[in-house]
């Protein structure tokens, strides 16, 4: 539990730590049914290329077990199982039941039902035994966690020795002029698009703000090392709009 009086950010707003998870839950419950459509519209479909790049670097192997956290709609788990092939299994863990419901509706979910589990759970207190998984992924979710360090510690705990962490998250562009242009697009276009498509401007205003509050690449890589991971590296995607972070439990 968070200490009394301790605060964190919810976008650009300071809120009590104990309230953030509920607010984030409200955001994703609100947008769940249109989440994939909005991802395509906001990124021009590029998020699919980023997730494919994630799989290229991850190189899933047969017989491995994936935990995909904050992966409610199944995008990463489906890709992993397709790439890994025979004997691989995946567990999708998300704090928002509405997101998991949307994931289960997809055709891939039915095709892979015997290799795929859906679990409601908190990234900071995962409902799994230590050393249970070969791979831990989280895509566009870790910036929404109340205490990122706790989520990374849990990722380390549930991985087997030799297991791998991979995080896909929005990041910071190294060029200030490009970052300024990207900010202008984000703040002026995305909330309005969210209103048009989902009827919810405020949730997408939060999502844009949450990206700006997330640590830059080097700082986040340092947090991964602090959690105990080794061979920590990152790769910028689309000039730093997003980044892939990799670490190993050795």
């Amino acid at each position: 539990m968070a200490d009394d009086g301790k605060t964190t950010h919810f976008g650009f707003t300071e809120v009590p730590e104990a309230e953030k998870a509920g607010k984030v839950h409200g955001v994703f419950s609100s947008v769940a049914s249109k989440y994939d459509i909005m991802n395509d519209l906001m990124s021009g479909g590029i998020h699919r290329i980023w997730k494919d790049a994630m799989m290229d670097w991850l190189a899933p192997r047969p017989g491995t077990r994936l935990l995909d956290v904050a992966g409610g709609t199944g995008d990463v788990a489906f890709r992993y199982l397709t790439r890994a092939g025979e004997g691989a299994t995946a567990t999708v863990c998300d704090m928002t039941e509405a997101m998991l419901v949307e994931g289960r509706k997809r055709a891939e979910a039915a095709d892979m039902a015997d290799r795929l589990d859906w679990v409601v759970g908190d990234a900071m207190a995962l409902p799994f035994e230590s050393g249970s998984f070969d791979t831990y992924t989280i895509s566009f979710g870790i910036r929404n966690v109340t205490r990122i360090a706790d989520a990374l510690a849990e990722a380390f705990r549930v991985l087997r020795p030799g297991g791998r962490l991979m995080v896909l998250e929005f990041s910071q562009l190294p060029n200030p002029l490009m970052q300024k242009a990207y900010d202008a697009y984000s703040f002026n276009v995305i909330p309005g698009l969210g209103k048009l498509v989902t009827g919810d401007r405020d949730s997408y205003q939060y999502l844009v703000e949450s990206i700006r509050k997330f640590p830059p690449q080097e700082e986040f890589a340092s947090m991964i090392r602090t959690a105990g991971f080794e061979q920590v590296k990152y790769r910028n995607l689309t000039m730093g709009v997003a980044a892939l972070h990799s670490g190993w439990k050795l």
Side-chain angles (χ1 to χ4, degrees):
M1 292 291 291
D3 293 336
D4 288 346
K6 198 166 186 180
T7 64
T8 187
H9 59 83
F10 179 74
F12 290 164
T13 305
E14 284 292 311
V15 299
E17 268 197 355
E19 293 182 10
K20 180 169 179 175
K23 289 180 176 292
V24 170
H25 183 275
V27 166
F28 286 96
S29 295
S30 173
V31 304
S33 65
K34 299 292 179 64
Y35 183 76
D36 287 332
I37 294 171
M38 276 297 296
N39 279 348
D40 281 332
L41 291 173
M42 289 188 300
S43 71
I46 294 174
H47 75 100
R48 298 175 184 273
I49 296 172
W50 294 340
K51 289 169 184 171
D52 287 340
M54 184 184 202
M55 291 300 116
D56 290 342
W57 197 10
L58 196 56
R61 304 184 313 279
T64 52
R65 189 179 184 200
L66 167 72
L67 174 62
D68 184 40
V69 176
T73 60
D75 255 8
V76 170
F78 300 149
R79 282 173 167 80
Y80 187 94
L81 292 176
T82 299
R83 295 276 192 112
E86 186 176 352
T89 61
T91 299
V92 179
C93 180
D94 200 295
M95 69 178 293
T96 307
E97 173 69 24
M99 293 289 284
L100 295 173
V101 168
E102 291 303 315
R104 290 193 197 98
K105 290 178 182 177
R106 294 177 58 172
E108 298 98 326
D111 292 342
M112 301 176 182
D114 59 334
R115 298 195 288 156
L116 188 59
D117 293 320
W118 306 84
V119 177
V120 175
D122 184 345
M124 298 186 298
L126 293 169
F128 308 108
E129 293 183 3
S130 299
S132 298
F133 298 93
D134 301 290
T135 309
Y136 174 112
T137 56
I138 182 167
S139 301
F140 307 120
I142 201 160
R143 73 181 191 281
N144 298 311
V145 173
T146 303
R147 296 183 300 279
I148 292 172
D150 288 4
L152 292 173
E154 277 291 271
F156 190 85
R157 180 184 68 79
V158 300
L159 282 170
R160 295 172 180 148
R164 190 176 187 186
L165 164 81
M166 188 163 285
V167 180
L168 172 59
E169 189 52 87
F170 290 111
S171 201
Q172 306 296 323
L173 279 72
N175 182 303
L177 288 177
M178 292 176 64
Q179 182 67 51
K180 187 175 181 180
Y182 176 49
D183 285 347
Y185 163 75
S186 298
F187 284 97
N188 292 310
V189 175
I190 290 177
L193 192 61
K195 172 68 173 176
L196 182 66
V197 175
T198 71
D200 185 348
R201 180 187 181 90
D202 290 346
S203 288
Y204 282 93
Q205 181 70 31
Y206 157 72
L207 291 172
V208 169
E209 292 176 0
S210 70
I211 294 169
R212 300 310 176 276
K213 298 294 289 185
F214 190 70
Q217 290 89 318
E218 287 290 351
E219 183 180 342
F220 183 56
S222 179
M223 294 177 72
I224 295 173
R225 293 186 189 98
T226 298
F229 290 96
E230 299 182 40
Q231 297 184 16
V232 176
K233 300 177 181 177
Y234 69 85
R235 296 177 178 177
N236 284 333
L237 303 172
T238 315
M239 300 171 290
V241 171
L244 280 170
H245 287 262
S246 171
W248 296 83
K249 180 178 178 177
L250 299 177

